[in-house]
């Protein structure tokens, strides 16, 4: 999305808080007095300017590495190597096989989150106790959100309510206590957060963002509060927070501020999406020039796309940057995209590939050609050798193995700027609220899930259900609806499918791991080195 479409109060009071890669560094304050008392200036504008660095702190993290960890650890994608190319020390293969290493590049974002929490805490300390709850709520919301990501991905997590003193190492708290702390934070700040949904609140925490996060916390409550990560059993776990999840979802639904169909499904994720997408509750806005870091198309597009004209994206201008083509959809997951009339089927390239219309984003009748032949992506993947490199070779046939995601549609004008994109990344969507509520209704034996479920099916053009959905149907629907949005790992754990077999996570595959303790990632080695007393997650 082009940043000039939204109003960002970042220029009046620029903030450059020191980046912090561990928990025992104390950034020095940029302010000598309480900015909320800055004479002649609306104090909320001052806070807004200071918060901009926190709001967009994870742009680079979300734009690549966080995605690699979440997507590749799920059954959505696998990482391929091409005669050793894109093996990259095994970082992609490790996630796909659930045998992650503490030094994997795809897991190097733990410190990014603690740095963001430190920035938020620095602002809260500078505001002081006299500042209003409305002024402090956005920083607390971001702090809770960053802490939730750490807890969801790494389990036990430090609870940071202040900037640590010099030399202080904050211990990691048990996951259950972290979940309870996040709940307390969110319930306290929700009344103080803005209810506005405008271009000026786009990409910033609102009441609805906090309630969506609270709903997600409640939906996974049994996962987060289990005695240990491997003790959660989807078949027997009791979740006492399901009614509370429904309540949070109802508040968002009853606000009337969001809907599914302001634009069609494909355009919600395109290069020109933005505040007009009324399905978006909370997003990370990107711009290929002014807020870089979003690079989803790089590993998902055809490996040889550079310089090809015409190309699959329908552009008559060439892409001048290279592509990886090393993240492909697993054969098992590709089968979800088979509902008659479902627009979401067009999010993957499968079989004979046709050039897309860059305006409608739909296939034309013009074949996408490579070396005189139509490109054909096979659903199945044949490895050059059956080992943990997940290598398919590097000839014309091997690089066309596996279905490819085209959900994050690109144009050369963006991508040629260092492989960056202008697609905004939704972090919470209204569609998710509907399906979270539907899931809770089914789990509690209540009616009403069918109507919520069919809202999704209707706007997607897919067949509607005649009866209340089962949990299995909701799980599959979440796979279709939130494909390639970093939610599948979270869903797989809650539904009890994380230890399933899917390419190449098969029980007879070298290094494929089925240890339930691997439902969370190992803490990156840098954090362990910088924080004496921390221990690596069990099982790693």
């Amino acid at each position: 999305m082009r940043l000039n479409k939204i109003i960002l109060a970042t220029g009046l009071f620029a903030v450059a808080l020191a980046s912090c890669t561990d928990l025992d560094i104390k950034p020095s304050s940029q302010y000598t007095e309480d900015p909320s008392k800055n004479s002649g200036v609306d104090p909320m504008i001052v806070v807004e300017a200071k918060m901009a660095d926190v709001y967009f702190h994870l742009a680079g993290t979300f734009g690549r590495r966080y995605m690699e960890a979440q997507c590749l650890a799920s059954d959505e994608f696998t990482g391929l190597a091409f005669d050793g190319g894109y093996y990259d020390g095994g970082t992609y293969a490790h996630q796909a096989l659930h045998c992650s290493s503490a030094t994997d590049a795809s897991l190097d974002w733990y410190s990014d989150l603690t740095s963001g929490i430190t920035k938020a805490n620095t602002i809260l300390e500078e505001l002081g106790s006299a500042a209003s709850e409305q002024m402090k709520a956005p920083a607390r919301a971001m702090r809770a959100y960053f802490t939730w990501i750490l807890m969801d991905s790494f389990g036990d997590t430090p609870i940071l309510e202040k900037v640590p003193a010099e030399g202080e190492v904050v211990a990691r708290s048990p996951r259950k206590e972290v979940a309870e702390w996040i709940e307390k934070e969110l319930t306290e700040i929700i009344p103080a957060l803005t209810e506005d949904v405008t271009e000026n609140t786009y990409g910033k925490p609102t009441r609805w963002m906090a309630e969506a996060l609270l709903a997600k916390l409640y939906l996974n409550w049994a996962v987060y509060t289990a005695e240990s990560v491997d003790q959660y059993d989807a078949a027997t776990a009791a979740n006492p927070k399901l009614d509370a999840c429904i309540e949070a979802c109802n508040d968002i639904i009853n606000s009337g501020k969001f809907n599914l169909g302001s634009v069609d499904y494909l355009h919600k994720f395109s290069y020109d999406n933005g505040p007009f997408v009324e399905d978006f509750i909370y997003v990370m806005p990107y711009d290929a020039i002014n807020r870089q870091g979003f690079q989803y198309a790089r590993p998902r597009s055809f490996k040889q796309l550079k310089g090809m004209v015409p190309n699959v994206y329908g552009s008559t201008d060439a892409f001048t940057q290279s592509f990886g083509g090393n993240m492909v959809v697993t054969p098992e997951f590709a089968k979800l995209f088979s509902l008659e009339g479902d627009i979401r089927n067009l999010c993957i390239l499968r079989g004979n590939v046709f050039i897309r219309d860059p305006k409608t984003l739909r296939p034309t009748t013009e074949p996408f050609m490579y070396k005189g032949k139509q490109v054909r992506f096979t659903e199945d993947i044949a490895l050059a050798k059956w080992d943990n490199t997940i290598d398919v070779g590097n000839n014309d046939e091997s690089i066309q193995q596996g279905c490819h995601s085209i959900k994050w549609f690109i144009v050369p004008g963006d991508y040629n700027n260092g492989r960056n994109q202008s697609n905004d990344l939704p972090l919470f969507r209204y569609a998710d609220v509907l399906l979270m509520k539907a899931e809770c209704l089914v789990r509690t034996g209540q009616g009403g899930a069918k109507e919520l479920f069919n809202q999704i099916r209707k706007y997607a053009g897919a067949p509607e259900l005649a009866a209340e959905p089962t949990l299995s149907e909701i799980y599959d629907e979440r796979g279709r609806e939130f494909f390639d949005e970093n939610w599948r790992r979270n869903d797989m754990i809650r539904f009890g499918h994380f230890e399933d077999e899917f390419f190449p996570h098969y029980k007879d595959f070298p290094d494929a791991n089925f240890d339930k303790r691997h439902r969370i990632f190992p803490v990156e080695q840098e954090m362990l080195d910088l924080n004496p007393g921390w221990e690596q997650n069990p099982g790693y």
Side-chain angles (χ1 to χ4, degrees):
M1 184 208 63
R2 298 300 177 192
L3 292 183
N4 59 11
K5 292 182 181 178
I6 64 175
I7 302 169
L8 297 176
T10 59
L12 184 57
F13 294 92
V15 179
L17 293 174
S19 178
C20 174
T21 57
D22 62 299
L23 301 184
D24 53 9
I25 294 177
K26 184 175 182 178
S28 57
S29 173
Q30 303 291 312
Y31 301 90
T32 58
E33 61 180 338
D34 183 353
S36 67
K37 300 174 182 177
N38 193 325
S39 178
V41 179
D42 183 342
M44 289 304 294
I45 294 178
V46 178
V47 175
E48 185 75 357
K50 295 177 66 178
M51 283 299 301
D53 190 42
V54 180
Y55 295 150
F56 311 117
H57 174 72
L58 293 184
T61 302
F62 284 154
R64 180 181 177 186
R65 293 305 192 188
Y66 178 80
M67 168 274 293
E68 290 172 357
Q70 303 297 331
C71 286
L72 289 170
S74 78
D75 63 352
E76 289 182 320
F77 289 95
T78 189
L80 302 180
F82 305 108
D83 277 347
Y86 291 96
Y87 180 66
D88 290 4
T91 186
Y92 314 120
H94 291 167
Q95 312 317 318
L97 294 170
H98 293 183
C99 61
S100 303
S101 165
T103 57
D104 283 339
S106 296
L107 295 175
D108 68 359
W109 37 274
Y110 195 114
S111 57
D112 293 344
L113 289 150
T114 59
S115 175
I117 293 169
T118 296
K119 289 180 177 183
N121 278 332
T122 300
I123 291 173
L124 288 168
E125 290 184 9
E126 290 172 346
L127 286 174
S129 59
S132 68
E133 291 304 312
Q134 286 74 19
M135 295 180 70
K136 293 185 290 186
R140 293 178 67 184
M142 297 306 298
R143 183 176 66 181
Y145 178 52
F146 293 165
T147 303
W148 173 81
I149 295 173
L150 286 173
M151 179 198 66
D152 179 74
S153 297
F154 300 100
D156 296 353
T157 298
I159 296 175
L160 295 165
E161 296 185 297
K162 62 182 180 65
V163 177
E166 185 174 353
E168 179 184 2
V169 175
V170 181
R172 296 166 68 195
S173 295
R175 200 183 200 190
K176 179 178 183 293
E177 294 180 12
V178 180
E180 292 168 345
W181 178 83
I182 295 171
E183 177 190 29
K184 179 176 179 292
E185 279 289 290
L186 293 174
T187 54
E188 286 180 1
I189 66 173
I190 281 172
L193 286 165
T194 181
E195 297 183 8
D196 292 344
V197 178
T198 67
E199 290 187 353
N200 196 42
T201 62
Y202 190 71
K204 303 171 187 176
T206 63
R207 175 189 181 98
W208 320 114
M209 171 270 199
E211 289 200 311
L213 176 57
L214 186 62
K216 192 68 69 172
L217 179 74
Y218 286 152
L219 187 65
N220 292 280
W221 193 261
V223 176
Y224 298 147
T225 60
E227 184 175 346
S228 61
V229 66
D230 57 314
Q231 293 301 306
Y232 171 75
D233 184 347
T236 60
N239 185 345
K241 297 289 188 178
L242 293 177
D243 285 338
C245 182
I246 292 173
E247 183 179 350
C249 292
N250 280 342
D251 203 33
I252 297 171
I253 294 169
N254 295 336
S255 74
K257 294 179 181 291
F258 307 97
N259 68 70
L260 296 175
S262 55
V263 295
D264 70 38
Y265 187 86
L266 300 181
H267 282 88
K268 291 181 182 183
F269 312 98
S270 184
Y271 57 90
D272 56 354
N273 62 355
F276 58 85
V277 182
E278 295 174 355
D279 186 20
F280 290 178
I281 295 174
Y282 180 54
V283 304
M284 178 64 73
Y286 285 93
D287 181 84
I289 298 174
N290 296 312
R291 185 172 297 120
Q292 299 180 338
F294 192 75
Q295 297 190 350
Y296 281 31
R298 180 182 182 181
R300 289 162 173 75
S301 300
F302 182 48
K303 185 174 180 290
Q304 300 299 97
L305 194 60
K306 178 182 177 180
M308 295 181 68
V309 177
N311 54 60
V312 68
Y313 289 103
S315 173
T316 56
D317 296 324
F319 290 100
T320 61
Q321 302 287 309
S322 63
F323 292 83
N326 59 307
M327 281 183 63
V328 299
V329 182
T330 69
E332 292 82 4
F333 197 83
K335 290 178 171 56
L336 285 179
F337 295 92
S338 58
L339 295 178
E340 183 179 357
D342 193 339
I343 190 175
R344 297 168 300 188
N345 295 343
L346 300 180
C347 288
I348 67 171
L349 298 172
R350 171 173 47 192
N352 291 330
V353 179
F354 294 85
I355 289 173
R356 296 291 177 103
D357 184 320
K359 292 185 178 179
T360 68
L361 312 183
R362 294 171 180 264
T364 66
T365 58
E366 182 179 359
F368 173 47
M369 307 293 288
Y370 173 63
K371 292 186 176 181
K373 297 181 180 179
Q374 186 172 12
V375 173
R376 179 178 177 80
F377 290 130
T378 63
E379 189 172 292
D380 293 327
I381 303 168
L383 299 179
K385 49 185 177 180
W386 191 259
D387 67 13
N388 58 12
T389 62
I390 319 181
D391 202 308
V392 294
N394 197 26
N395 58 38
D396 292 346
E397 289 72 32
S398 62
I399 63 175
Q400 295 180 53
Q401 293 194 74
C403 303
H404 287 242
S405 171
I406 196 171
K407 183 167 178 172
W408 304 100
F409 205 93
I410 56 170
V411 291
D414 288 338
Y415 190 80
N416 291 342
N417 289 293
R419 304 185 184 90
N420 287 288
Q421 301 173 233
S422 294
N423 315 61
D424 293 348
L425 175 68
L427 301 171
F428 293 114
R429 291 204 282 126
Y430 183 64
D432 201 353
V433 172
L434 296 180
L435 285 181
M436 283 195 290
K437 179 180 176 181
E439 181 180 334
C440 289
L441 291 174
V442 173
R443 290 187 184 276
T444 56
Q446 302 179 64
K450 181 180 73 171
E451 188 274 332
L452 299 165
F453 188 99
N454 280 341
Q455 286 187 51
I456 304 289
R457 284 288 182 90
K458 184 176 182 179
Y459 98 90
E464 297 180 37
L465 297 185
E468 292 288 325
T470 64
L471 285 177
S472 178
E473 287 172 325
I474 289 175
Y475 176 68
D476 286 349
E477 194 68 13
R478 290 192 61 85
R480 298 181 189 97
E481 180 64 24
F482 307 113
F483 165 61
D484 210 354
E485 294 181 54
N486 306 318
W487 283 118
R488 185 64 170 179
R489 169 188 158 272
N490 179 280
D491 290 342
M492 292 181 76
I493 295 168
R494 183 174 69 260
F495 279 90
H497 291 296
F498 194 68
E499 289 77 40
D500 286 359
E501 291 189 86
F502 47 88
F503 184 91
H505 187 246
Y506 300 138
K507 290 183 178 177
D508 62 345
F509 195 89
D511 286 354
N513 192 290
F514 292 83
D515 189 333
K516 294 179 181 179
R517 295 174 296 179
H518 285 209
R519 293 169 177 173
I520 54 175
F521 301 114
V523 177
E524 65 173 306
Q525 190 60 46
E526 180 187 14
M527 295 302 298
L528 297 178
D529 294 341
L530 290 170
N531 293 279
W534 282 24
E535 295 182 358
Q536 184 54 272
N537 284 334
Y540 291 102

